[in-house]
């Protein structure tokens, strides 16, 4: 979209060159960034925006779609833990982070991302290489052959926890010919019904009531953790 204010016109940015501009008031920074986003996307380039804190990151995620509706924006969330905390980040946050990393890797697909917004504190922590996410992500669909023992081995290797009842991302349970899964990066869990060694149906289910809901054609499983936990 055209930028109406002269002070918001951006110069051509070059690699290793820095351009400084005082932060404009209100949502003007979103207008300014939308001009940069539209220009870069027109040249087939993606962007990463680093913000001072998580509040600014969430605000930009809410505002940018208004000024650049065609840009696919994602937020890379923080762990929300302090460096010396004795507890791990919440599973929902790990799930959201993995989903964001997967979207970034899907560059030329409908499910990909054009712009990732990252709080500065989040950017300080190292990430596993893209090969880890690619190597531990797998999919299966209805009517596909599926070996239950092999699936359990894959889930364990990918960092999923075997539980009696699935309620959180990163868990799975096996009851006869039914396999309940809550994939990382998914908003809902899935129930896989096996007939012999073939997937007869896949349905979502409510983790609170454990009741099956609507059918889906396939399931994508991201790793259960952000880092490999194998022997190597």
């Amino acid at each position: 979209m055209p930028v109406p204010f002269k002070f918001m016109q951006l110069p051509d940015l070059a690699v290793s060159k820095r351009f400084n501009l005082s932060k404009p008031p209100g949502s003007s920074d979103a207008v300014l960034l939308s001009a940069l986003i539209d220009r870069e996307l027109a040249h087939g380039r993606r962007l990463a925006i680093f913000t001072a804190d998580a509040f600014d990151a969430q605000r930009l995620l809410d505002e940018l779609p208004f000024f650049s509706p065609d840009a696919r924006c994602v937020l890379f969330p923080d762990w929300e833990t302090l460096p010396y905390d004795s507890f791990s980040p919440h599973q929902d946050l790990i799930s959201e982070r993995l989903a964001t990393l997967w979207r970034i890797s899907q560059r030329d697909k409908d499910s990909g991302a054009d712009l990732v917004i990252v709080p500065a504190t989040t950017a300080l922590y190292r990430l596993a290489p893209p090969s880890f996410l690619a190597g531990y992500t797998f999919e299966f669909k209805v009517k596909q052959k599926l070996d239950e023992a092999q699936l359990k081995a894959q889930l364990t290797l990918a960092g999923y926890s075997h539980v009696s009842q699935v309620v959180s991302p990163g868990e799975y349970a096996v009851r006869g010919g039914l396999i309940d899964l809550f994939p990382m990066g998914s908003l809902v869990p899935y129930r896989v019904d096996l007939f012999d060694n073939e997937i007869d149906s896949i349905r979502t289910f409510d983790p609170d009531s454990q009741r099956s809901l609507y059918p889906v054609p396939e399931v994508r499983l991201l790793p259960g953790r952000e880092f490999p936990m194998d022997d190597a």
Side-chain angles (χ1 to χ4, degrees), residues 74-118:
V74 294
L75 170 67
F76 191 59
D78 193 76
W79 277 335
E80 297 183 7
T81 57
L82 297 174
Y84 298 103
D85 280 344
S86 58
F87 52 86
S88 300
H90 196 278
Q91 277 292 92
D92 289 345
L93 287 173
I94 300 297
S95 176
E96 188 177 348
R97 284 167 62 92
L98 285 166
T100 302
L101 290 174
W102 183 84
R103 288 193 63 183
I104 294 171
S105 69
Q106 306 299 299
R107 177 164 188 171
D108 300 322
K109 300 181 180 179
D110 294 338
S111 55
D114 301 314
L115 166 72
V116 57
I117 305 172
V118 189

Side-chain angles (χ1 to χ4, degrees), residues 2-3 8-9 11 17 19 46 49-50 52 54-55 67 69 74 115 121 133 144 165 169 174 184 189 197 199 226:
V3 181
M8 284 189 177
Q9 296 290 348
K17 298 296 182 180
F19 171 69
R46 296 187 296 172
I49 295 177
F50 298 91
F55 175 80
F67 300 108
V74 294
L115 166 72
T121 51
L133 189 65
Q144 178 181 326
Q165 182 172 301
V174 179
M184 300 297 281
N197 63 343
I199 299 176
E226 288 189 53

Side-chain angles (χ1 to χ4, degrees), residues 47-182:
L47 293 93
I49 295 177
F50 298 91
T51 63
D53 51 42
F55 175 80
D56 271 345
Q58 185 61 52
R59 179 180 61 81
L60 286 176
L61 182 69
D62 295 336
E63 295 176 355
L64 283 173
F66 177 80
F67 300 108
S68 295
D70 295 331
R72 299 169 298 178
C73 305
V74 294
L75 170 67
F76 191 59
D78 193 76
W79 277 335
E80 297 183 7
T81 57
L82 297 174
Y84 298 103
D85 280 344
S86 58
F87 52 86
S88 300
H90 196 278
Q91 277 292 92
D92 289 345
L93 287 173
I94 300 297
S95 176
E96 188 177 348
R97 284 167 62 92
L98 285 166
T100 302
L101 290 174
W102 183 84
R103 288 193 63 183
I104 294 171
S105 69
Q106 306 299 299
R107 177 164 188 171
D108 300 322
K109 300 181 180 179
D110 294 338
S111 55
D114 301 314
L115 166 72
V116 57
I117 305 172
V118 189
T121 51
T122 307
L124 295 176
Y125 294 94
R126 299 183 66 179
L127 298 172
S131 58
F132 164 71
L133 189 65
Y136 286 86
T137 299
F138 54 99
E139 302 176 356
F140 50 83
K141 58 185 64 177
V142 176
K143 301 305 178 184
Q144 178 181 326
K145 298 293 183 181
L146 185 68
D147 184 89
E148 182 181 320
Q150 183 180 3
L151 176 62
K152 290 171 64 176
Q154 283 183 298
L155 289 170
T156 302
L157 185 62
Y160 282 73
S161 301
H162 188 196
V163 296
S164 58
Q165 182 172 301
V166 171
V167 294
S168 301
E171 296 178 343
Y172 78 97
V174 179
R175 297 191 306 276
L178 292 178
I179 302 175
D180 288 350
L181 299 163
F182 204 142

Side-chain angles (χ1 to χ4, degrees), residues 34-56:
S34 71
L36 175 63
I37 292 167
D38 293 344
R39 190 174 72 187
E40 294 301 298
L41 291 184
H43 290 86
R45 294 190 289 263
R46 296 187 296 172
L47 293 93
I49 295 177
F50 298 91
T51 63
D53 51 42
F55 175 80
D56 271 345

